[in-house]
Amino acid sequence: MELGQKKDVSNVLKKYNELFVESGILERIIPRKVSTPEELKEWNKYVLRSDKEYEETDIDAINDGLLELIYDLLDRGGKRWRPVLGMIYAECLGRNVADAIMMGSHQHDDILFACGLTEFVHNGSLMIDDVEDKSLMRRGEPCTYLKYGDDYAVNTGTIMYCVPIMKIDEFIKDDDALKFYMYKTCCEETANLHFGQNWDIHWHNGHKMPSEEQYLHMIINKTSVLPRLCVRLIARIMEEDPAEMVY
């Protein structure tokens, strides 16, 4: 690829990254802050049983122990190439995602939800990876566990796997079969992510030198999981065959 072509690709990726952030989909899936019991209930209607419990609960702990950590990491930036891939893929199938964002339209929120969900899972996995690897820096700043503690980082990283899919009813309307597929696919791929991570941990701790084929199994079920998750979800939203699109 020529230098000029590389710059063109880089500019496209940057543009879609900026549009993804501009869409506000991340904050609509997981808020930056909850200020009232009503906002907490709107975000997670399952955690407590009654309005009285929502009134009495410790909202500060949720802001300080979960939401601050999530957006501390997300706000550091990153290439966000997984959601960008999803947006461009949807456009290849006929959706005008970029134009809709620029016009302030929510026409393609189903696509953006799949992209945002993937980005949360990715960042949650980074937060936990840094604890496991004892990394020092992430995106130019101390890793989350060094800033806030191992317990906060592990808990927050884990919740980033599961909370986004809880918002599915807000973005996927009147299609129970699609919802079921998305739930099932998220469960499959987050499980695969942990199998891949386990192989990586086992090998880098010196327990075995993997074969080339075994190493590819790890890559397929670690590095490849989240772009595959995003494409599988979007393919199904677009009524395409996910297996044909991915494999």
Side-chain angles (χ1 to χ4, degrees):
M1 184 182 293
E2 299 293 334
L3 179 60
Q5 292 175 312
K6 290 181 180 179
K7 287 183 177 179
D8 289 343
V9 171
S10 178
N11 288 337
V12 169
L13 296 178
K14 181 181 178 182
K15 172 191 171 184
Y16 276 82
N17 185 340
E18 291 171 350
L19 287 171
F20 176 70
V21 174
E22 183 183 329
S23 76
I25 191 65
L26 294 177
E27 291 85 350
R28 292 166 59 201
I29 297 173
I30 296 181
R32 286 182 174 270
K33 184 176 182 179
V34 290
S35 300
T36 66
E38 291 76 20
E39 289 180 2
L40 175 58
K41 188 174 182 180
E42 182 181 357
W43 176 41
N44 187 349
K45 61 184 178 182
Y46 306 105
V47 68
L48 298 169
R49 295 172 296 175
S50 67
D51 289 344
K52 185 174 185 295
E53 290 184 348
Y54 278 94
E55 291 285 348
E56 295 173 345
T57 201
D58 185 356
I59 291 177
D60 289 339
I62 293 169
N63 286 316
D64 297 343
L66 289 175
L67 300 179
E68 181 180 327
L69 278 69
I70 290 172
Y71 281 97
D72 174 77
L73 181 56
L74 287 170
D75 287 345
R76 298 182 192 185
K79 296 181 289 295
R80 299 190 182 92
W81 68 266
R82 294 160 189 84
V84 166
L85 170 69
M87 293 164 66
I88 294 174
Y89 173 59
E91 293 199 338
C92 290
L93 295 177
R95 295 288 193 99
N96 294 317
V97 181
D99 288 347
I101 295 171
M102 288 187 284
M103 292 186 296
S105 168
H106 296 302
Q107 182 181 359
H108 304 299
D109 276 357
D110 51 355
I111 300 297
L112 291 171
F113 172 65
C115 296
L117 183 154
T118 303
E119 185 67 2
F120 276 119
V121 176
H122 169 59
N123 280 271
S125 72
L126 293 181
M127 201 175 286
I128 293 175
D129 280 358
D130 287 340
V131 178
E132 294 171 341
D133 296 341
K134 299 179 176 60
S135 301
L136 300 179
M137 302 291 287
R138 173 66 65 182
R139 296 173 181 159
E141 296 183 32
C143 294
T144 301
Y145 79 95
L146 292 174
K147 290 184 69 173
Y148 297 94
D150 292 10
D151 45 3
Y152 282 113
V154 170
N155 189 58
T156 301
T158 303
I159 208 168
M160 290 170 78
Y161 294 148
C162 54
V163 165
I165 196 64
M166 290 166 49
K167 301 293 285 184
I168 191 170
D169 288 336
E170 188 173 322
F171 299 98
I172 306 298
K173 309 291 187 183
D174 304 322
D175 191 337
D176 290 341
L178 174 57
K179 291 178 186 179
F180 176 77
Y181 176 84
M182 293 180 74
Y183 275 119
K184 181 174 178 290
T185 302
C186 285
C187 290
E188 288 175 2
E189 296 293 19
T190 51
N192 291 339
L193 183 65
H194 287 80
F195 274 85
Q197 179 71 351
N198 172 72
W199 282 319
D200 191 11
I201 291 170
H202 193 68
W203 299 334
H204 76 230
N205 277 308
H207 294 290
K208 181 178 180 178
M209 176 63 72
S211 67
E212 180 179 346
E213 190 67 25
Q214 289 171 334
Y215 188 81
L216 289 174
H217 294 163
M218 184 271 289
I219 295 296
I220 290 168
N221 289 288
K222 180 180 175 180
T223 310
S224 299
V225 160
L226 296 178
R228 184 171 70 233
L229 169 63
C230 192
V231 168
R232 287 182 70 188
L233 296 180
I234 291 173
R236 182 61 180 78
I237 289 170
M238 300 290 294
E239 299 183 346
E240 300 285 345
D241 180 1
E244 185 177 319
M245 295 297 107
V246 173
Y247 300 107

